[in-house]
């Protein structure tokens, strides 16, 4: 039925209409316009200045465009009814009604120009002015025709609001200032949406004569012209009389100001990452940013006497995952100390700051619980012999003590058990880029700072401890579309992020890092009793080049780095004494006397009784028992072995095994079951401990378990000795506390008998050497090394 209707009525009607010449001409003209529009499209490229705004949309930092002009983009939301009415009424009253060209104005201007012999009246609409501002041409009648055609193109492709927006953004204000927003910010220090009627009128009259009407230079003349136009508006009743009266009485005392240059490091970064964006909306909170910048600058100025010249700070809101403060250096305008270096993104050694991730991973694998015991004694890890920050060793300590006191040997032991690739995989999930790049080269030193990280990466990592182990990369941008961002959030999994740790392990870490009885507590902590409760971890890199302190609570995560961008080390530099006071100052400022609740214990956390000597499930000989956290079905359930039953003679001078125990006279006693490394440390430090009596010399049993551990030389290593010097190779082994003598063999030949934990030296031959160590119970260990004399 529709087809018949088209054939019988519509098509005959169109044929009759087309017979008229005017219609044909119009059709041809329309087709020609469409063709020209396709061949010669009007490319609108305003080339705006880049503006970086804060979380409330206020300008933080403005950049010149690539033509060294201030051409700031006014968003549609910033064009108020007052601004629109003033501009349209003054420049083009019929703007909303014509199609780019006002024919009446053209005829009027043509008649006047013909009769006067000169140009006395213009006919340019707002649309035509936009064309001229985008593509300036010499004023000729031919160029005017091109301008009209381009105006038609603009009207076809853009809405009236968009065309008005282009006009507002392009009008000249003298010098290198273009656009109302540029003039508004540089002269009135406010955005266009908060301009008064008097200020709007002052800006509306300037574009016609930008050379003679210069704000800050010809204010009196501009005031006179402004009031003249206001009187005209009053006559035409454009605005309410009272509004105009108020505007007429408003003075005009303005001058040109510097463009905003706040948060320079992040602003430069966002500009580089979004080169085509006119307005980049950051998530920075202005007052917070400015306050922290001042705190950092004042704090670093007090460190100058120690030769410490720089610092960087990053603040993340843990609920929104947005960056609220970003301080790249103590003073951006200080070129001597590298003030323009962005310390938030600089790759540095993390010191001990990765230890919480390691311990949390060990909690999740069930290897340890907070009260588990671990030995902090000198240990050789295949040639790697770490030391603690204070050069001391503490013997047997709990896991929570080891983490709270940032002990190095326990951390390396845990990493060796967990394996380095497991920790590296966690860091890859957290987007540690340098770790990703160098992962094949990383070893056990990783957890002590043997890798490169940035403050941004560390702060994001610690934010996951405040979010139940869910990692979500923070963003320095407000959630508005269309803008790229180098900190963009990782793909979200369940819970709004990637699961890097369990909620149970992060809770245990939070409890440990909240302890205030620890060496990295600043001396003036007593004066911060109103400071919000936080968990924090410090770190100091090798050579005292970097001091870190990362802290968090439920609301914020704050990362602090202090040091020198030159890489120069400073003896006084440490995370505890230098970085943590600044961390506390910042928390006292942004979350002072906060009532924020602390993290709740997850459902998967339980309490259990453990032996205080080992942290394991109590055995029959475990008298001292304490309460410990555990993760049911995950935490290990091994029974305590901190001691063992030994049968001894009545006078406790001899011990027996099941093979040689007499029928009567033996007594069952409990003896400490110390690890060989702990026994060796006791002997070295001359610490008294209870020893197992000498084993029955008549016993013929050959023992298999608990053979001596050769700690030096390292199995499989190659040693290069100086042939011009009488150098010798040291032999050392660790044994159980029931061993009284050991025997050293070189290539299966007896070298020497000695007491346990006594170093032996010998001059080796070149080549591959077999070294053996046997104890008085027949247990034996073999290793092989290579020796080269040069």
């Amino acid at each position: 039925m529709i087809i018949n209707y088209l054939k019988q009525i519509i098509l005959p009607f169109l044929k009759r209409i087309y017979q008229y010449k005017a219609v044909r001409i119009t059709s041809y003209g329309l087709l020609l316009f469409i063709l020209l529009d396709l061949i010669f499209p009007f490319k609108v490229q305003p080339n705006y200045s880049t503006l970086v705004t804060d979380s409330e949309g206020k300008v933080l930092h403005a950049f010149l465009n690539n033509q060294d002009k201030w051409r700031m983009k006014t968003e549609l939301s910033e064009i108020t009814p007052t601004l629109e009415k003033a501009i349209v009424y003054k420049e083009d009253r019929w703007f909303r009604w014509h199609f780019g060209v006002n024919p009446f104005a053209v005829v009027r201007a043509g008649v006047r120009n013909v009769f006067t012999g000169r140009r006395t009246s213009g006919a340019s609409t707002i649309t035509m002015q936009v064309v001229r501002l985008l593509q300036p041409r010499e004023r000729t009648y031919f160029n005017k025709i091109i301008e009209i055609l381009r105006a038609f193109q603009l009207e076809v492709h853009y809405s009236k609001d968009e065309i008005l927006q282009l006009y507002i953004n392009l009008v000249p204000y003298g010098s290198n200032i273009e656009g109302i927003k540029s003039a508004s910010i540089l002269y009135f220090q406010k955005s266009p949406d908060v301009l008064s009627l008097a200020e709007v009128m002052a800006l509306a009259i300037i574009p016609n004569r930008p050379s003679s009407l210069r704000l800050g230079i010809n204010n009196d003349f501009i005031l006179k012209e402004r009031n003249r136009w206001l009187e005209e508006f009053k006559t035409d009743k454009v605005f309410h009389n009272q509004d105009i009266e108020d505007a007429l009485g408003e003075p005009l005392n303005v001058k040109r100001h510097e463009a905003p240059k706040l948060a320079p490091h992040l602003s430069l970064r966002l500009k580089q990452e979004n080169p085509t964006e006119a307005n980049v909306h950051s998530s920075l909170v202005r007052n917070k940013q400015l306050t922290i910048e001042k705190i950092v600058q004042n704090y670093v100025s007090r460190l100058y006497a120690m030769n410490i010249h720089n610092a960087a700070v990053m603040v993340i809101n843990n609920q929104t995952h947005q960056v609220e403060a970003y301080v790249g250096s103590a003073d951006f305008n200080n070129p001597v100390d590298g003030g323009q270096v962005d310390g938030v993104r600089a790759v540095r050694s993390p010191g001990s700051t990765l230890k919480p991730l390691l311990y949390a991973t060990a909690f999740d694998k069930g290897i340890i619980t907070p009260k588990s015991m671990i030995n902090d004694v000198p240990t050789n890890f295949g040639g790697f012999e770490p030391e603690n920050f204070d050069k001391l060793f503490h013997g047997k300590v709990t896991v929570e003590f080891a983490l709270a006191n940032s002990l190095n040997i326990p951390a390396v032991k845990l990493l060796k058990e967990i394996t380095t690739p497991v920790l590296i995989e966690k860091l890859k999930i957290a987007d540690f880029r340098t770790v990703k790049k160098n992962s094949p080269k990383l070893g056990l030193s990783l957890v002590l700072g043997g890798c490169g990280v940035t403050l941004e990466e560390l702060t994001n990592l610690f934010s996951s401890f405040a979010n139940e182990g869910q990692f979500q990369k923070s963003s320095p941008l407000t959630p508005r579309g269309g803008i790229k961002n180098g900190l963009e959030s990782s793909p979200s999994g369940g819970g709004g992020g990637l699961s890097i740790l369990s909620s149970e392990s992060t809770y245990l870490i939070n409890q440990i890092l909240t302890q205030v009885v620890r060496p990295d507590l600043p001396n003036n902590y007593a004066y911060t009793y109103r400071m919000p409760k936080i968990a924090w971890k410090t770190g100091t890199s090798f050579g005292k080049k970097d001091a870190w302190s990362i802290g968090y609570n439920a609301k914020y995560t704050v990362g602090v780095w202090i040091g020198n961008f030159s890489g120069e080390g400073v003896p006084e530099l440490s995370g505890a004494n230098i970085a943590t006071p600044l961390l506390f100052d910042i928390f006292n400022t942004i979350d002072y006397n906060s009532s924020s609740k602390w993290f709740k214990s997850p459902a998967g956390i339980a309490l259990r009784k453990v032996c205080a000597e080992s942290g394991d499930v109590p055995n029959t000989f475990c008298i001292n028992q304490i309460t410990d956290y555990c993760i049911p079905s995950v935490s290990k359930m091994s029974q305590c072995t901190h001691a063992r039953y030994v049968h001894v003679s009545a006078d406790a001078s001899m011990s027996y095994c099941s093979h040689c125990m007499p029928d009567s006279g033996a007594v069952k006693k409990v003896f400490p079951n110390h690890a060989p490394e702990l026994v060796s440390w006791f002997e070295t430090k001359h610490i008294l401990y209870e020893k197992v009596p000498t084993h029955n010399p008549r016993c013929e049993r050959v023992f298999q378990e608990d053979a001596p551990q050769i700690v030096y030389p390292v199995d499989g290593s190659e040693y290069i000795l100086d042939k011009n010097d009488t150098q010798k190779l040291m032999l050392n082994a660790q044994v159980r506390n029931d061993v009284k003598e050991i025997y050293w063999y070189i290539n299966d030949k007896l070298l020497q008998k000695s007491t346990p934990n006594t170093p032996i030296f010998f001059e080796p031959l070149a080549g591959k050497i077999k070294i053996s160590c046997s104890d008085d119970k027949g247990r034996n260990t073999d290793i092989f090394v290579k020796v080269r004399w040069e």
Side-chain angles (χ1 to χ4, degrees):
M1 182 175 180
I2 295 175
I3 295 175
N4 290 334
Y5 177 78
L6 290 173
K7 287 180 178 180
Q8 295 174 11
I9 298 176
I10 300 300
L11 289 178
F13 175 76
L14 291 176
K15 287 179 182 180
R16 286 197 298 272
I17 290 295
Y18 195 71
Q19 291 175 359
Y20 294 99
K21 186 176 181 180
V23 174
R24 289 200 301 272
I25 292 173
T26 303
S27 301
Y28 294 147
L30 182 59
L31 289 173
L32 179 63
F33 174 78
I34 294 171
L35 183 62
L36 290 173
D37 183 53
L38 293 173
I39 298 173
F40 304 105
F42 190 16
K43 296 180 180 178
V44 177
Q45 297 174 332
N47 191 16
Y48 291 121
S49 301
T50 299
L51 297 184
V52 177
T53 64
D54 62 17
S55 58
E56 295 180 345
K58 297 178 181 177
V59 178
L60 279 173
H61 203 113
F63 297 92
L64 290 163
N65 69 5
N66 55 22
Q67 297 173 340
D68 289 334
K69 290 183 178 181
W70 293 113
R71 186 183 288 171
M72 305 178 192
K73 183 181 180 181
T74 305
E75 299 285 5
L76 289 171
S77 60
E78 294 177 301
I79 302 175
T80 61
T82 300
L83 176 59
E84 179 182 344
K85 188 182 292 187
I87 293 292
V88 171
Y89 192 82
K90 179 183 174 300
E91 294 294 331
D92 186 2
R93 300 182 188 184
W94 302 99
F95 171 69
R96 293 287 178 180
W97 304 97
H98 60 66
F99 197 68
V101 177
N102 186 340
F104 301 105
V106 171
V107 172
R108 183 193 65 223
V111 170
R112 287 184 180 179
N113 293 345
V114 167
F115 282 101
T116 60
R118 58 189 177 86
R119 185 178 180 275
T120 60
S121 176
S124 294
T125 61
I126 286 178
T127 310
M128 294 169 68
Q129 291 185 63
V130 169
V131 172
R132 189 162 59 247
L133 290 167
L134 287 170
Q135 297 181 349
R137 291 184 178 86
E138 186 181 350
R139 293 200 173 189
T140 65
Y141 287 108
F142 177 74
N143 286 340
K144 180 63 71 173
I145 294 172
I146 294 177
E147 192 177 292
I148 290 171
L149 293 174
R150 289 300 194 187
F152 288 153
Q153 284 183 286
L154 266 183
E155 292 284 347
V156 168
H157 294 288
Y158 293 87
S159 69
K160 287 292 186 180
D161 286 340
E162 290 170 331
I163 293 171
L164 179 62
Q165 181 187 24
L166 283 169
Y167 175 80
I168 286 174
N169 289 330
L170 297 171
V171 287
Y173 283 91
S175 185
N176 64 340
I177 301 175
E178 295 182 0
I180 283 180
K181 187 167 187 174
S182 301
S184 177
I185 288 174
L186 294 176
Y187 287 112
F188 295 102
Q189 294 187 293
K190 59 178 74 172
S191 59
D193 55 335
V194 294
L195 291 173
S196 67
L197 175 58
E199 292 165 340
V200 166
M201 283 308 305
L203 294 178
I205 63 174
I206 292 174
N208 297 121
R209 290 181 288 171
S211 298
S212 59
L213 298 176
R214 294 286 296 274
L215 282 168
I217 298 175
N218 303 323
N219 284 350
D220 292 338
F221 184 37
I222 295 172
L223 181 64
K224 181 180 178 181
E225 286 293 301
R226 181 200 75 181
N227 289 346
R228 182 175 67 82
W229 273 98
L230 283 171
E231 291 291 353
E232 186 175 329
F233 276 25
K234 184 178 180 180
T235 302
D236 295 342
K237 299 187 182 303
V238 179
F239 296 103
H240 294 298
N241 284 346
Q242 186 58 52
D243 293 338
I244 293 179
E245 289 296 334
D246 292 341
L248 286 168
E250 188 173 316
L252 183 65
N253 300 313
V254 295
K255 63 178 182 178
R256 181 165 177 174
H257 300 272
E258 285 288 327
K261 292 183 179 179
L262 305 177
H265 293 93
L266 180 61
S267 297
L268 280 167
R269 174 178 181 172
L270 293 180
K271 179 181 183 294
Q272 292 167 359
E273 292 172 353
N274 304 279
T276 61
E277 288 295 327
N279 293 327
V280 182
H281 305 286
S282 82
S283 59
L284 297 188
V285 178
R286 178 182 294 261
N287 291 339
K288 199 170 293 179
Q289 172 73 21
L290 296 180
T291 302
I292 293 176
E293 281 182 5
K294 195 65 178 177
I295 290 173
V296 172
Q297 190 172 27
N298 291 339
Y299 187 80
V300 171
S301 68
R302 300 198 298 271
L303 300 177
Y304 262 56
M306 299 183 196
N307 195 31
I308 300 171
H309 297 157
N310 248 304
V313 172
M314 186 175 181
V315 177
I316 297 174
N317 186 310
N318 292 327
Q319 276 113 34
T320 63
H321 303 288
Q322 290 185 334
V323 179
E324 294 195 353
Y326 187 112
V327 181
S329 70
D331 184 1
F332 182 83
N333 298 313
N334 181 357
V336 177
D337 297 320
Q340 295 185 14
V341 175
D342 187 351
V344 174
R345 293 198 291 173
V347 178
R348 315 290 295 192
S349 168
S352 298
T353 53
L354 296 178
K355 287 177 183 174
L357 178 64
L358 170 70
Y359 280 83
T361 303
F363 287 144
D364 280 335
K365 289 188 171 294
I367 297 172
I368 55 171
T369 59
K371 299 296 184 183
S372 296
M373 287 291 179
I374 192 165
N375 294 325
D376 177 37
V377 296
T379 308
N380 188 311
F381 298 93
F384 175 46
E385 299 184 38
E387 293 181 329
N388 289 321
F389 184 79
D390 57 6
K391 308 295 183 182
L392 301 175
F393 298 95
H394 303 79
K396 189 162 67 171
V397 297
T398 63
V399 161
E400 62 181 356
F401 180 91
L403 176 56
N405 289 268
S406 198
L407 302 181
N408 289 339
I409 287 81
V412 177
K413 284 183 177 179
L414 274 180
L415 181 56
K416 184 179 180 181
E417 185 170 359
I418 290 172
T419 72
T420 306
V422 171
L423 186 62
I424 289 175
E425 193 58 36
K426 298 282 187 183
L427 294 172
K428 286 181 178 179
I429 295 174
D431 199 26
F432 279 64
R433 297 182 182 181
T434 306
V435 171
K436 282 182 182 179
K437 181 180 178 181
N438 299 324
S439 57
K441 305 175 185 177
L442 299 177
L444 294 177
S445 63
L446 166 68
V447 75
L448 304 184
C451 62
V453 305
T454 67
L455 178 62
E456 175 188 326
E457 292 168 345
L458 279 177
T459 310
N460 275 300
L461 174 65
F462 274 76
S463 181
S464 65
F465 287 104
N467 286 282
E468 299 184 336
Q470 296 297 308
F471 176 79
Q472 186 167 338
K473 204 168 183 182
S474 62
S475 171
L477 299 174
T478 54
R480 306 185 190 192
I483 297 180
K484 295 180 182 177
N485 141 35
L487 296 171
E488 60 189 349
S489 299
S490 303
S492 295
L498 296 171
S499 181
I500 191 171
L501 297 165
S502 72
S503 59
E504 292 79 13
S505 66
T506 53
Y507 177 76
L508 296 179
I509 294 296
N510 297 344
Q511 295 300 101
I512 294 172
L513 295 185
T514 313
Q515 296 179 13
V516 295
V517 182
R518 47 199 273 196
D520 59 354
L521 184 73
N523 295 329
N524 60 350
Y525 181 78
Y527 300 103
T528 60
Y529 65 95
R530 286 187 178 274
M531 193 185 84
K533 183 178 181 181
I534 66 169
W536 81 96
K537 182 70 185 77
T538 63
T540 308
S541 67
F542 180 77
K544 305 288 187 71
K545 298 178 180 180
D546 307 279
W548 304 86
S549 192
I550 319 291
Y552 61 92
N553 58 15
K555 194 171 183 181
Y556 296 108
T557 298
V558 178
V560 171
W561 170 87
I562 296 179
N564 294 313
F565 289 138
S566 64
E568 182 181 358
V570 178
E572 295 84 4
L573 190 66
S574 74
N577 296 325
I578 301 298
T580 302
L582 178 56
L583 176 77
F584 285 6
D585 283 349
I586 292 170
F587 262 108
N588 262 332
T589 300
I590 65 176
D591 206 23
Y592 178 72
N593 206 18
S594 173
S595 59
S596 298
K597 295 181 179 178
W598 192 242
F599 306 103
K600 293 182 179 179
S601 175
I605 285 286
L607 292 171
R608 68 179 182 185
K609 288 286 186 179
V610 296
C611 174
E613 298 295 328
S614 66
D616 291 331
V617 176
N619 209 323
T620 54
F621 46 70
C622 297
I623 301 173
N624 187 13
Q625 297 182 17
I626 57 176
T627 303
D628 187 19
Y629 286 111
C630 70
I631 306 175
S633 303
V634 174
S635 300
K636 64 177 183 178
M637 295 294 292
S638 54
Q639 207 164 30
C640 177
T641 58
H642 87 274
R644 58 177 175 146
Y645 291 110
V646 178
H647 288 88
V648 297
S649 59
D651 60 357
S653 62
M654 186 184 302
S655 62
Y656 304 106
C657 65
S658 58
H659 187 77
C660 65
M661 189 170 59
D663 295 334
S664 62
V667 180
K668 186 178 180 181
K669 288 189 64 178
V670 175
F671 286 88
N673 189 27
H674 298 307
E677 59 183 11
L678 192 59
V679 172
S680 176
W681 185 67
F682 286 158
E683 294 288 345
T684 303
K685 293 295 181 182
H686 306 291
I687 298 174
L688 296 177
Y689 64 98
E690 189 176 8
K691 299 181 180 181
V692 176
T694 304
H695 191 67
N696 182 6
R698 298 189 184 90
C699 181
E700 298 178 352
R701 177 186 172 187
V702 177
F703 292 82
Q704 299 295 330
E705 68 281 355
D706 299 327
Q709 298 176 10
I710 300 176
V711 295
Y712 200 87
V714 178
D715 188 20
S717 299
E718 183 177 15
Y719 295 87
I720 302 174
L721 305 180
D722 187 357
K723 63 182 179 182
N724 297 319
D725 191 8
T726 56
Q727 288 186 307
K728 293 185 178 182
L729 203 61
M730 184 183 76
L731 303 175
N732 197 6
Q734 295 175 348
V735 296
R736 307 291 298 187
N737 69 349
D738 58 348
V739 174
K740 307 304 176 184
E741 291 182 335
I742 58 174
Y743 303 86
W744 289 101
Y745 296 84
I746 305 299
N747 293 327
D748 297 325
K749 292 183 180 180
L750 179 66
L751 173 68
Q752 188 174 336
K753 178 178 76 171
S754 71
T755 57
N757 304 302
T758 302
I760 301 297
F761 296 88
F762 79 105
E763 187 173 331
L765 298 174
K768 188 175 182 180
I769 299 176
K770 178 183 179 183
I771 301 175
S772 306
C773 182
S774 301
D775 63 16
D776 52 14
K777 290 184 170 54
R779 297 171 292 201
N780 180 76
T781 299
D782 298 329
I783 66 167
F784 294 87
V785 299
K786 288 183 180 180
V787 174
R788 205 165 75 218
W789 291 88
E790 292 184 354

